[in-house]
Amino acid sequence: MKQYTPEELNQLSKEEIVSLLMQSQNEAARFKERLEELQLHLFGRSTERLECLGQLSAFNEAEVVCNEEEKEPEIEDAVVARSKRPRGKLAEDLKDLPTRKEMHELSEDELTRIFGQDGWKRLPDEISWSLEYHPSVKEAVEHHTAVYAAKNEDRIVRAPRGATLLAHSIATPSLVAAIMNAKYTNAIPLYRLHQEFERNGVKISEPTMANWVIQCAQRYLQPVYDKLHEELCRADIVQADETPCQVNKDGRPANAKSYMFVYCSGELEKERGIVLYDYQKTRNADHLEEFLKDFSGTLVSDAYSGYHALDRRRDDIRISHCWAHARRDFSDAVKLMKKTGGPSKQRIKKSIAYQALERIGTMYALEDEYRELPPEERLSRRQEHIKPLVEAYFAWVKEIDPDTVMSEKTKDGLRYSINQEKYLKVFLKDGNIPIDNSASERAIRPFTIGRSNWHVIDSLKGADASAVVYSIVETAKANQLKPYEYLKHLLSVVVEHIYDTDPAYLEDLMPWSENLPDICRKDS
């Protein structure tokens, strides 16, 4: 806005001064809203993330989840997640756990003092259970490989020994799986894992652990990743998202921004869950096209231009956008109104942002009702009940004059809806297409949580290895597997097939394979 001198202002007409004043008010309101938005993001509670993505504060987790009225868990509830059974079957429930008996008895002298000589008989014992926890046990294994020589010829034979992960290394599938599980499942940085090992008498340096992770990811987990990639590209629906990260040694200036993409199978297609990470130096659409070159179907995403570029380049891919993103600006606008303490509750409810949230919320309420229905029935219900709401929403949005809206966040929400109308309606055409992209946002959360602990990735090899291991861990979770046991199993099996030319053995290693050991599966 031009700065006027007093002399210039005196020469303006009344209409021009009124126009300048209105413009000044609008700019001041936009500046105030932007300032409050920044303060909200810096210091406020991110309600939407907490409710939609299931996030809890890691800092004050104990205070957040504390509930003094919470009942102590029964032993069967703490050990296995299964419906409660009669206590008489508890021993059967716990048969796979190591068990020791502790006898709590009275001595002969004590019984005589209480009941008199031979004045008692023993009733059936009262049996109760408790669960002990022991930190992981480390065991050094000394391998003795028998060597035989012929007496009458120059020939030596060694007893067979299973393949080792890394030559001349103490690394084993159980040890490397534990390191990967700590870092990629539980977001524990390697320096803290090194400290924990050292406290328990095991000295393994951070560089050694990093080398093991990278080499084992490249040699033994990459074939599984590639097979999962093939399976994902056969799906009808893929969801995608991306988040920035930093890599120190990638040949670019310091602080150059890289990206970790995540691709996952459709949220409503529950039979075979796949979550794959893909590290790239840039956010260029070429990376999307390369990763999805064998995919043909619907890609669910946000409105990033790279996804639109894919829509223009590929006739066999259609893009479906996310209603959670459509509501986000309206949600921010309402939060800012509440924060300022200006408008009353009644005025907030009459605001465009609040009305938009109510309209979108009604769609979500119906969608939640249809979540467990078969795809064909879900589509039918959407067409009958949700489609009229969607059409009414866009008709309402287009009737609003943006010049009458003071809130920039509300304007952003209106613009997003109008610009993405075509893509926001796609979910109405297929019962398997989710209404939003929240599943891929949840899938990328473990990486962003880990990133907050280690901040940067040191090398390109480390970035690629992280993508592979995160993929295995998150895919294991999506299929109700135990990440540690699944990683250990993969490392134990693939090492035996590393020189195979036929990859058929990978079928039995897929997370949905019936041939996986039971120990890999979470009890249900």
Side-chain angles (χ1 to χ4, degrees), residues 1-4 9 12 16-28 30:
M1 183 177 175
K2 179 183 175 182
Q3 300 296 311
Y4 289 86
L9 286 172
L12 296 177
E16 289 173 324
I17 291 175
V18 170
S19 176
L20 282 175
L21 181 59
M22 293 300 296
Q23 184 180 355
S24 176
Q25 286 180 334
N26 288 338
E27 289 191 0
R30 285 196 294 270

Side-chain angles (χ1 to χ4, degrees), residues 75 79 91 93-101 129-134 137 519:
I75 186 71
V79 176
D93 289 346
L94 303 178
K95 63 182 177 59
D96 294 327
L97 281 180
T99 304
R100 79 170 189 270
K101 289 184 180 179
W129 297 81
S130 60
L131 180 63
E132 294 269 350
Y133 174 77
H134 302 283
V137 177
I519 195 171

